[in-house]
Amino acid sequence: NTVVENNCLDFTAITFPCESQSIFKMFTSSSKIKKPRGAQPDELESSVAQAIYELQSNSEKLKAPLREVHITSAKQIDVQDGKQAICIFVPVPMLAQFQKLIKERSLIEELEKKFGGKSVIILAERRIMRRETRSSRGHPQKRPMSRTLTAVHEAILNDLVFPTEIVGKRTRVKLDGSKLLKVHLNSESKNADKVDTFGKVYKKLTGKDVVFEFPKA
């Protein structure tokens, strides 16, 4: 099916077999995900990478900035009533770039269209470093404050609700000794319909219960 015109090959007239098309898609979208230690992405991660690559190729407002970023992993979390949320993890240094696209260029909305209306949440890929013990005191690297369990869980909260601002927090201790974190969000939030999803995702990622509220002025 190759067309030769003026001694030039017109590759647009070539029809690739379905298998070749799949391989081509995998190759082009693979640049949008880089997993640690060269691990291979699973089916969900590949589909997320493909969705981002398609936005990079077809969306004028997202094309240029998406060329500069990639993701590290993705997971699907059951939230409620048979619905799922897709959590996309990105390198910490790239989080600000992604958040700018969320706030200014509707990246979340565009990705949710790609995944049939499932909630999409973008978070930094953070690692908790264990507290120093006697056996580890000789380790040359001291644990940064940003790598403590408390700091990582705080950062997850901020990522979850972005671009909504957290204006207050309080912890309620129940009679059985369990704790419930209450997080107050800016009343101008556009994420009011997602607070239940945020709570389920936070519980899955941290094991902690949280309730999001909009305090009255």
Side-chain angles (χ1 to χ4, degrees):
N1 294 330
T2 307
V3 177
V4 181
E5 186 176 348
N6 297 328
N7 295 322
C8 295
L9 291 177
D10 180 7
F11 287 99
T12 61
I14 300 176
T15 302
F16 293 98
C18 291
E19 185 178 351
S20 298
Q21 290 179 16
S22 297
I23 294 173
F24 179 73
K25 282 185 177 182
M26 288 174 59
F27 176 75
T28 52
S29 63
S30 63
S31 64
K32 307 316 298 176
I33 181 167
K34 297 180 181 178
K35 292 181 68 66
R37 296 180 289 278
Q40 293 300 306
D42 60 25
E43 185 177 350
L44 173 65
E45 292 169 336
S46 295
S47 66
V48 171
Q50 179 63 33
I52 292 174
Y53 181 78
E54 289 173 1
L55 289 175
Q56 176 183 307
S57 301
N58 303 321
S59 172
E60 287 300 322
K61 64 181 178 180
L62 291 169
K63 182 178 295 186
L66 281 180
R67 287 197 187 108
E68 308 299 322
V69 296
H70 62 265
I71 69 171
T72 55
S73 63
K75 67 167 56 178
Q76 186 165 272
I77 294 175
D78 293 326
V79 286
Q80 59 182 359
D81 302 326
K83 296 180 181 179
Q84 293 86 33
I86 297 175
C87 294
I88 301 173
F89 295 91
V90 305
V92 173
M94 291 184 181
L95 179 64
Q97 292 166 273
F98 274 99
Q99 290 186 334
K100 187 174 182 180
L101 296 180
I102 292 170
K103 192 172 184 178
E104 299 177 5
R105 309 207 182 190
S106 306
L107 176 60
I108 292 295
E109 290 80 355
E110 293 298 326
L111 286 171
E112 288 179 342
K113 290 176 188 175
K114 293 279 188 184
F115 291 99
K118 290 180 181 178
S119 295
V120 172
I121 298 168
I122 293 178
L123 310 100
E125 181 86 60
R126 296 182 175 87
R127 293 281 183 267
I128 296 170
M129 187 177 288
R130 292 182 180 179
R131 182 179 298 179
E132 187 181 71
T133 61
R134 288 184 179 181
S135 59
S136 65
R137 282 177 186 167
H139 197 281
Q141 182 181 359
K142 188 176 180 179
R143 181 175 70 160
M145 289 299 297
S146 62
R147 300 287 293 278
T148 65
L149 183 141
T150 300
V152 170
H153 287 185
E154 287 276 331
I156 289 173
L157 267 181
N158 290 321
D159 290 356
L160 271 177
V161 303
F162 184 87
T164 300
E165 181 185 0
I166 294 176
V167 296
K169 298 175 193 158
R170 61 190 179 93
T171 300
R172 176 187 171 191
V173 181
K174 299 179 182 179
L175 292 175
D176 61 2
S178 62
K179 295 180 180 180
L180 175 66
L181 176 63
K182 292 193 173 185
V183 177
H184 296 166
L185 301 177
N186 189 315
S187 58
E188 298 178 359
S189 168
K190 296 180 180 179
N191 288 327
D193 60 332
K194 290 186 175 183
V195 291
D196 290 337
T197 295
F198 293 157
K200 298 286 186 183
V201 171
Y202 187 76
K203 173 73 171 180
K204 183 69 175 179
L205 296 179
T206 68
K208 295 179 178 178
D209 293 314
V210 64
V211 171
F212 295 94
E213 299 176 335
F214 297 92
K216 296 180 181 179

